């Protein structure tokens, strides 16, 4: 079974600063995907970014980028030029994928990110 | 294009009552999923349907049943609700099983 650990229950930064959210995972699988989802107060789960484990290049989506360290099983999210609208719960998630099939997502417990004006 | 829709948005039940949560997607996705989110936790997988006509158990299936009615719709049924089932329920879908999942807005269920 896979586990996902987010060690920062809450973080607070000033608007326009850069912030990094940590995520580590434990798996014996070699093929998998990693995700960051954002959950604002509206409760909607919104995909932020996705990383395929077989890709060495770190994924980037506008102000959001990841630092994927496969050997260390680490998958951190960096938010540059943070904005008030980035205030939300952020969940790291893991999904295995192999010839034997796939699973649903395994989520961490989340990090509550607060952007201060 | 509404994406993934869920009904109802809120529901209060008494212990022992039954109800069905409805989920529909208009993205022509093959796979659909049900998750629950408890306070201070990430989402946990209840059941999934990799393709029309198939359903499988996830991490926390006890107390629930599902029906993949057609390609668009995937319902979750609580036959005899218990207070431990108080949670927020999310439906999700993906193009194929193992692909990126897109979520509905959630249903907040309270069992008294």
């Amino acid at each position: 079974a896979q586990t996902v650990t987010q060690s920062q229950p809450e973080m607070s930064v000033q608007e326009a600063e850069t912030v990094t959210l940590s995520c580590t995972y434990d798996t014996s699988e070699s093929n998998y995907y990693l995700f960051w989802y954002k959950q604002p107060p509206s409760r909607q789960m919104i995909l932020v970014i996705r990383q395929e484990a077989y890709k060495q290049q770190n994924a980037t989506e506008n102000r959001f980028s990841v630092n994927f360290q496969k050997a260390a099983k680490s998958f951190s999210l960096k938010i540059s030029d943070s904005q008030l609208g980035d205030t939300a719960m952020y969940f790291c998630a893991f999904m295995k994928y192999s010839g034997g099939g796939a699973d649903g997502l395994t989520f961490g417990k989340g990090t509550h990110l607060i952007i201060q004006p | 294009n509404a994406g993934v829709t869920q009904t109802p948005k809120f529901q209060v039940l008494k212990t022992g009552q039954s109800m069905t949560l409805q989920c529909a997607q208009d993205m022509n996705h093959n796979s659909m999923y049900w998750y629950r989110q408890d306070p201070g936790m990430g989402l946990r997988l209840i059941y999934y349907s990799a393709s029309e006509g198939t359903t499988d158990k996830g991490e926390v299936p006890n107390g629930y049943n599902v029906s993949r009615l057609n390609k668009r719709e995937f319902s979750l049924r609580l036959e005899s609700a218990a207070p431990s089932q108080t949670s927020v329920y999310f439906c999700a879908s993906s193009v194929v099983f193992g692909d990126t999942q897109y979520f509905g807005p959630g249903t907040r269920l309270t069992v008294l």
Side-chain angles (χ1 to χ4, degrees):
Chain A
Q2 287 68 233
T3 58
V4 177
T5 302
Q6 295 179 248
S7 59
Q8 306 150 311
E10 185 170 289
M11 297 185 71
S12 180
V13 298
Q14 296 293 124
E15 193 176 6
E17 290 183 345
T18 294
V19 59
T20 299
L21 309 183
S22 300
C23 173
T24 59
Y25 58 96
D26 187 22
T27 184
S28 58
E29 302 291 335
S30 56
N31 298 319
Y32 51 88
Y33 299 141
L34 294 162
F35 303 84
W36 280 98
Y37 279 90
K38 168 185 176 180
Q39 187 178 43
S42 67
R43 210 174 59 207
Q44 178 79 46
M45 292 290 288
I46 302 166
L47 176 68
V48 175
I49 202 163
R50 158 180 154 154
Q51 175 79 44
E52 291 86 347
Y54 64 85
K55 289 186 178 179
Q56 292 188 334
Q57 186 172 7
N58 289 324
T60 299
E61 286 288 343
N62 301 314
R63 297 183 295 109
F64 299 88
S65 61
V66 298
N67 184 3
F68 174 47
Q69 302 289 330
K70 190 172 184 179
K73 296 181 181 175
S74 171
F75 183 61
S76 61
L77 175 69
K78 185 172 84 171
I79 305 174
S80 303
D81 185 26
S82 58
Q83 300 174 359
L84 297 178
D86 295 334
T87 292
M89 284 291 291
Y90 286 81
F91 292 97
C92 178
F94 172 101
M95 181 172 63
K96 77 173 186 182
Y97 188 84
S98 67
D103 276 346
L105 291 161
T106 298
F107 284 85
K109 292 186 177 182
T111 296
H112 185 205
L113 176 64
I114 301 168
I115 309 299
Q116 304 277 7
Chain B
N1 189 340
V4 180
T5 58
Q6 294 182 235
T7 55
K9 286 186 169 52
F10 301 93
Q11 184 70 49
V12 178
L13 293 178
K14 294 181 180 178
T15 297
Q17 287 185 319
S18 63
M19 80 159 295
T20 300
L21 307 184
Q22 305 287 353
C23 174
Q25 51 89 12
D26 63 1
M27 298 178 284
N28 201 33
H29 285 177
N30 288 293
S31 302
M32 299 184 74
Y33 314 79
W34 277 105
Y35 292 86
R36 60 178 286 173
Q37 183 180 28
D38 300 312
M41 302 282 288
L43 281 67
R44 291 183 293 168
L45 183 65
I46 304 171
Y47 269 94
Y48 63 92
S49 171
S51 60
E52 187 178 357
T54 69
T55 60
D56 283 287
K57 296 178 181 179
E59 181 185 353
V60 288
N62 291 344
Y64 305 94
N65 286 301
V66 291
S67 295
R68 184 73 183 267
L69 304 170
N70 47 56
K71 189 173 185 179
R72 290 186 63 249
E73 299 173 287
F74 188 38
S75 63
L76 178 72
R77 182 161 179 83
L78 288 71
E79 291 290 352
S80 179
S84 61
Q85 295 178 305
T86 292
S87 190
V88 180
Y89 291 85
F90 288 93
C91 178
S93 69
S94 61
V95 175
V96 294
F97 194 51
D99 203 353
T100 300
Q101 295 175 30
Y102 296 91
F103 286 80
T107 294
R108 183 177 293 278
L109 175 67
T110 301
V111 183
L112 302 175

